[in-house]
């Protein structure tokens, strides 16, 4: 009897402490952002947020449940210097995480792939400092509890693309299959970027380049026309000078003939 009671207690304990893993085979939708040329699949019953986000954060996804309100997956895209390689960014980014988090502990740090590109993956636990400024910058959603985070990033076309999965440590494994499926589905297609929706500074730069090229072409045409005009005038002046010389020679010849005729008429002038 005592043994049966112990077994029953163990079974109850295991049931109570077993986490419910969310099925990754649920219905997914495709999120597409033509401004940044990205696509990613996400659960159809998750909330998608694209407004009132920190700078460079494109979109966030989270389950529509109060119990899992701390679970968030987001995508961040930010420009980096053209000479910054993936390894350089990785070193700098991990140093940044160490600076802004407390109780920062790396569980995994390894090479990976994202959207078909070489990438870096990091899994860590941390608490965030109670600093509103840092909270607004990083937009990490849990301050009081220990978080477990998976982040994957890659460098493409002078930009870094970061997908982050945040959850309380005790519920991290529940949504990990969903998070991993979202990461695996992420695509970067720069050819599908809609330039009409890119910030005005980029469009203005393109318009400025086109305007500059037009001005250069106009100036070139004017210069060619001016050179042609000078050539025509030069030939015309040369032709006039030739005509003048020929006329002078004709006039001189006529004068000579008149002198000879005068001498023939008046023999006294020959002497």
């Amino acid at each position: 009897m005592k043994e049966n009671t112990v077994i029953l207690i163990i079974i109850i304990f295991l049931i109570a402490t077993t986490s419910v893993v969310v099925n990754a085979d649920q219905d997914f939708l495709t999120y597409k952002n033509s401004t940044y040329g990205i696509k990613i699949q996400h659960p159809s019953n998750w909330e998608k947020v694209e407004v009132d986000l920190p700078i460079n954060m494109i979109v966030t996804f989270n389950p529509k449940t109060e119990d899992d309100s701390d679970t968030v997956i987001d995508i961040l895209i930010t420009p980096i210097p053209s000479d910054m390689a993936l390894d350089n960014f990785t070193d700098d980014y991990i140093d940044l995480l160490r600076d802004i988090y407390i109780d920062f502990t790396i569980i995994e740090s390894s090479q990976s792939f994202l959207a078909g590109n070489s990438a870096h993956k990091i899994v860590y636990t941390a608490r965030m400092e109670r600093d509103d400024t840092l909270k607004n910058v990083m937009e990490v959603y849990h301050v009081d509890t220990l978080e477990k985070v998976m982040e994957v990033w890659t460098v493409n076309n002078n930009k870094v693309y970061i997908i982050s999965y945040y959850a309380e440590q005790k519920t991290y494994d529940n949504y990990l299959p969903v998070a991993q499926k979202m990461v695996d589905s992420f695509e970067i297609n720069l050819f599908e970027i809609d330039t009409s929706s890119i910030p005005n500074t980029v469009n203005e730069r393109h318009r400025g380049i086109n305007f500059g090229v037009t001005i250069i072409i106009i100036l070139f045409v004017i210069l060619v026309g001016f050179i042609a005009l000078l050539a025509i005038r030069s030939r015309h002046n040369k032709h006039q000078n030739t005509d003048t010389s020929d006329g002078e020679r004709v006039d001189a010849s006529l004068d000579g003939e008149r002198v000879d005729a005068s001498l023939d008429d008046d023999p006294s002038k020959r002497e």
Side-chain angles (χ1 to χ4, degrees):
M1 182 69 178
K2 185 176 180 181
E3 292 180 356
N4 292 337
T5 303
V6 171
I7 294 174
L8 180 61
I9 292 175
I10 293 174
I11 293 174
I12 294 174
F13 176 78
L14 291 175
I15 294 174
T17 56
T18 299
S19 298
V20 178
V21 178
V22 178
N23 186 6
D25 293 330
Q26 59 184 295
D27 292 336
F28 275 69
L29 300 176
T30 299
Y31 167 80
K32 180 178 179 180
N33 189 311
S34 58
T35 300
Y36 296 94
I38 60 172
K39 290 194 296 185
I40 191 171
Q41 295 181 17
H42 66 91
S44 58
N45 59 345
W46 281 33
E47 181 182 15
K48 176 186 67 180
V49 179
E50 295 182 277
V51 296
D52 298 328
L53 297 174
I55 186 171
N56 296 326
M57 189 170 289
I58 310 306
V59 62
T60 68
F61 304 94
N62 59 86
K64 297 178 181 178
T65 59
E66 293 183 3
D67 294 339
D68 299 307
S69 59
D70 289 337
T71 301
V72 178
I73 297 176
D74 61 46
I75 300 175
L76 184 145
I77 304 174
T78 186
I80 59 174
S82 59
D83 59 347
M84 177 171 278
L86 175 63
D87 291 342
N88 300 125
F89 176 82
T90 296
D91 293 339
D92 292 346
Y93 189 61
I94 292 177
D95 288 341
L96 174 65
L97 294 176
R98 286 195 177 98
D99 290 339
I100 66 172
Y101 283 122
I102 55 177
D103 297 335
F104 178 78
T105 303
I106 295 178
I107 299 173
E108 176 188 349
S109 181
S110 60
Q111 295 180 348
S112 184
F113 288 94
L114 182 63
N117 300 311
S118 297
H120 195 90
K121 173 183 176 181
I122 185 173
V123 179
Y124 59 90
T125 57
R127 299 179 192 273
M128 189 168 185
E129 292 182 343
R130 294 177 177 274
D131 186 318
D132 291 338
T133 301
L134 286 177
K135 185 175 187 297
N136 290 335
V137 171
M138 297 301 294
E139 195 63 27
V140 178
Y141 302 85
H142 339 289
V143 178
D144 298 328
T145 59
L146 184 67
E147 307 172 357
K148 190 170 183 179
V149 183
M150 175 182 71
E151 296 193 76
V152 185
W153 57 80
T154 187
V155 171
N156 187 299
N157 197 35
N158 299 333
K159 294 183 180 65
V160 61
Y161 297 76
I162 306 176
I163 301 181
S164 304
Y165 164 49
Y166 300 92
E168 290 187 28
Q169 187 178 30
K170 63 183 181 181
T171 60
Y172 174 87
D173 291 337
N174 296 359
Y175 288 97
L176 183 58
V178 173
Q180 190 61 56
K181 183 172 181 176
M182 292 179 66
V183 170
D184 293 341
S185 72
F186 184 67
E187 296 180 23
I188 302 173
N189 193 339
L190 301 181
F191 296 103
E192 295 184 1
I193 291 179
D194 180 6
T195 56
S196 64
S197 57
I198 293 177
N200 290 335
T201 52
V202 177
N203 286 334
E204 290 296 334
R205 188 184 304 119
H206 289 171
R207 283 196 289 269
I209 292 174
N210 293 335
F211 179 74
V213 171
T214 302
I215 291 297
I216 291 173
I217 293 175
I218 292 174
L219 291 176
F220 178 75
V221 171
I222 293 174
L223 178 62
V224 170
F226 181 71
I227 292 174
L229 180 61
L230 290 179
I232 293 172
R233 287 184 176 179
S234 176
R235 288 196 299 269
H236 180 69
N237 291 337
K238 184 177 180 180
H239 181 69
Q240 284 185 333
N241 292 336
T242 302
D243 291 345
T244 301
S245 299
D246 292 342
E248 290 176 351
R249 286 194 294 270
V250 170
D251 291 341
S253 177
L254 291 175
D255 290 341
E257 291 177 356
R258 283 195 293 271
V259 170
D260 292 340
S262 176
L263 290 175
D264 290 339
D265 295 338
D266 189 355
S268 62
K269 292 182 178 181
R270 293 178 184 175
E271 299 174 355

